[in-house]
Amino acid sequence: MALIKKVEFRGFKSLGAKTISLQLGEGLTAITGPNGSGKSNIFDAIIFCLGESSSKVLRVNKLPSLIYDGGQSETKPNSCRVTLTFEN
């Protein structure tokens, strides 16, 4: 069975313009945090990377909304990237 070993994000939804890397180990992985901290966006990024292209499933009005909006102090990037690394 293939396991997700690492997830990298850049400019995806609320996860910000900087590259974020999550290392996932074998066994149970729990992602916790307060409301609005981006937990669901991590899962949205994974299913987007696996081929989902429905804006409704990804919880946005239109697909360009997947790109980080820049917040109040940053400029909006013109693209986003999600990379999955599998261990087989």
Side-chain angles (χ1 to χ4, degrees):
M1 178 164 103
L3 301 172
I4 298 174
K5 184 176 180 178
K6 181 169 69 170
V7 185
E8 288 184 333
F9 319 91
R10 184 186 53 76
F12 189 85
K13 291 179 92 171
S14 69
L15 300 174
K18 294 182 181 179
T19 300
I20 300 170
S21 180
L22 297 176
Q23 301 288 335
L24 304 174
E26 290 188 33
L28 179 67
T29 299
I31 299 174
T32 64
N35 290 345
S37 62
K39 301 177 303 289
S40 296
N41 290 341
I42 292 171
F43 292 103
D44 287 347
I46 292 170
I47 63 172
F48 174 72
C49 194
L50 292 174
E52 181 59 63
S53 60
S54 166
S55 59
K56 184 176 180 179
V57 171
L58 295 169
R59 301 176 309 117
V60 292
N61 292 331
K62 53 189 178 190
L63 290 180
S65 298
L66 293 175
I67 300 172
Y68 177 61
D69 70 2
Q72 294 179 358
S73 60
E74 298 179 62
T75 58
K76 182 176 180 173
N78 58 8
S79 66
C80 65
R81 179 177 64 202
V82 179
T83 305
L84 296 180
T85 303
F86 290 94
E87 182 177 297
N88 190 356

